[in-house]
Amino acid sequence: MALRKIRELGDEVLTKKCKEVTKMTLRTKILINDMLDTMYEAMGVGLAAPQVGILKRIVVIDVGDGPIILINPVIVEQSGEQTGEEGCLSVPGKAGVVTRPDHVKVKALNEEMEEIELEGEGLLARAFCHEIDHLEGKMYVELAEGGIHDVNYEEEE
Ligand code: ZN
């Protein structure tokens, strides 16, 4: 298990556009495994490569149904609307209200560089949008209605 340092809001790497992955290498496989370890350790539901300082189009997500690995993901369909609290491992202790599509279809490559298509609703749709935004150098704080606020973890329990 290898943890990587999570970059935080204000770090320039989070504002940059990521490059497509053209082939699977050992280095990239290690990166993906480290991203999963880092996400689980931080108890997040998603992590994008720029959040660990790597400008590659790779995202990992787990909303409780097991790990999803997306390489070069693209949103191909979206519908509906959901408004709710959103947070980010790069903005610790904060949350904000963001409106996202409620249903999202994504095309991507898996770890074997095979084409996959996934559909998500609710939290998974939100995670797809949030993480894919990271690959474009975009953070949810720009979308948060009324800005971001402190999260009181004790109250949530
Ligand atoms: Zn994030």
Side-chain angles (χ1 to χ4, degrees):
M1 172 156 163
L3 300 177
R4 304 227 181 176
K5 186 179 183 293
I6 298 178
R7 306 301 185 92
E8 296 186 1
L9 186 64
D11 191 317
E12 220 180 46
V13 78
L14 293 170
T15 66
K16 296 196 170 146
K17 206 175 144 115
C18 296
K19 288 202 179 80
E20 293 227 325
V21 177
T22 54
K23 61 174 196 252
M24 185 52 57
T25 61
L26 179 60
R27 203 183 170 86
T28 303
K29 279 187 180 159
I30 291 168
L31 168 66
I32 290 168
N33 286 329
D34 288 355
M35 284 172 64
L36 284 167
D37 289 343
T38 304
M39 174 182 74
Y40 288 126
E41 174 73 16
M43 304 217 290
V45 299
L47 189 72
Q51 291 182 275
V52 293
I54 307 289
L55 290 170
K56 285 185 180 170
R57 303 187 79 82
I58 301 172
V59 158
V60 297
I61 291 171
D62 190 340
V63 295
D65 301 322
I68 295 171
I69 294 151
L70 300 175
I71 297 164
N72 304 338
V74 178
I75 293 173
V76 290
E77 266 179 53
Q78 58 181 63
S79 60
E81 201 177 271
Q82 57 173 319
T83 300
E85 291 265 307
E86 198 163 310
C88 178
L89 293 177
S90 294
V91 195
K94 304 276 184 188
V97 174
V98 181
T99 298
R100 301 278 193 186
D102 192 44
H103 187 107
V104 173
K105 194 191 271 187
V106 173
K107 266 189 187 169
L109 301 174
N110 64 16
E111 263 186 301
E112 277 75 50
M113 298 297 274
E114 299 161 339
E115 274 190 36
I116 52 168
E117 204 170 84
L118 293 173
E119 287 185 57
E121 283 183 9
L123 180 59
L124 183 55
R126 180 177 292 281
F128 284 153
C129 295
H130 178 113
E131 300 308 331
I132 291 171
D133 274 355
H134 273 301
L135 305 181
E136 297 299 322
K138 292 184 205 155
M139 302 277 287
Y140 86 94
V141 295
E142 299 156 28
L143 305 172
E145 296 150 32
I148 56 172
H149 57 264
D150 290 336
V151 176
N152 187 333
Y153 288 108
E154 278 174 48
E155 228 170 66
E156 277 195 345
E157 275 166 16

